Amino acid sequence: MSELIVIGYDDHAVARKAFKTVQKLRDDHVVELKGLAVVRVDEDGETHVDTPAKTEEIALSATAGALWGLVLGMIVLTPGIGVVGAALGGLIGKLNQMGVDRGFRQKVSDLLAPGSAALVVMATKITEDRFATAVEPFGGTVLKTSLPEESERELAEQLTGSTGAA
């Protein structure tokens, strides 16, 4: 099971500092990451995803990378998506089944007002008390949901076109 944590900030610089803290927590084995990014919204309302230096050190398989990209895209880049193709519709449906429902995505969208930023963390293991203590000094609004392992596996199969049968 993965934890999807989104922490909203009024300031991009604060989000970047929190990002660096989470990287240190990864190095200290407080959190195992599947994905880590800073999302900022400029004054014109345009969304930018930033994966600052060292993120590449997170060893991701192609499937895990695709899963992270899809989850990140669905929660922050397309909250008001309208008409979609059948394949994307199926993936959106799977995300809804995983707990990344419209309500959660709307809360994330509400955090991302022009001029704000958010830290987005997808963790497979986390020592919650140590994580919370480390990011607490930055403040922010925390949103969290769990992504069950079975749902992640099904989504990965859908992304790769495999059936998972051996």
Side-chain angles (χ1 to χ4, degrees):
M1 177 156 38
S2 291
E3 299 294 326
L4 182 61
I5 304 165
V6 180
I7 309 172
Y9 300 100
D10 292 333
D11 183 353
H12 180 240
V14 175
R16 290 286 304 252
K17 289 177 185 175
F19 179 97
K20 290 178 183 180
T21 296
V22 172
Q23 285 180 315
K24 182 166 180 3
L25 293 172
R26 178 205 57 210
D27 295 344
D28 293 342
H29 306 288
V30 172
V31 62
E32 289 182 19
L33 298 173
K34 245 185 193 176
L36 179 63
V38 173
V39 177
R40 67 180 172 84
V41 181
D42 63 26
E43 295 301 329
D44 295 327
E46 189 172 326
T47 303
H48 306 273
V49 178
D50 187 14
T51 53
K54 288 190 146 183
T55 305
E56 299 78 29
E57 293 175 16
I58 301 171
L60 295 175
S61 68
T63 301
L67 172 65
W68 165 243
L70 179 66
V71 169
L72 183 64
M74 292 310 301
I75 65 167
V76 300
L77 299 178
T78 56
I81 194 164
V83 178
V84 296
L88 184 55
L91 293 173
I92 292 169
K94 182 54 69 181
L95 282 171
N96 287 337
Q97 291 173 16
M98 291 172 63
V100 184
D101 63 10
R102 183 183 311 256
F104 183 82
R105 291 193 312 261
Q106 184 59 52
K107 289 177 186 176
V108 172
S109 179
D110 292 345
L111 281 179
L112 294 171
S116 68
L119 177 66
V120 182
V121 180
M122 189 170 175
T124 54
K125 291 184 183 176
I126 187 168
T127 306
E128 292 199 28
D129 57 338
R130 290 182 62 196
F131 184 90
T133 299
V135 298
E136 183 179 29
F138 302 107
T141 301
V142 179
L143 301 175
K144 181 178 165 185
T145 191
S146 296
L147 306 175
E149 187 175 325
E150 181 61 29
S151 294
E152 286 184 56
R153 186 172 26 261
E154 290 173 22
L155 181 58
E157 289 170 2
Q158 209 167 350
L159 285 168
T160 62
S162 68
T163 61

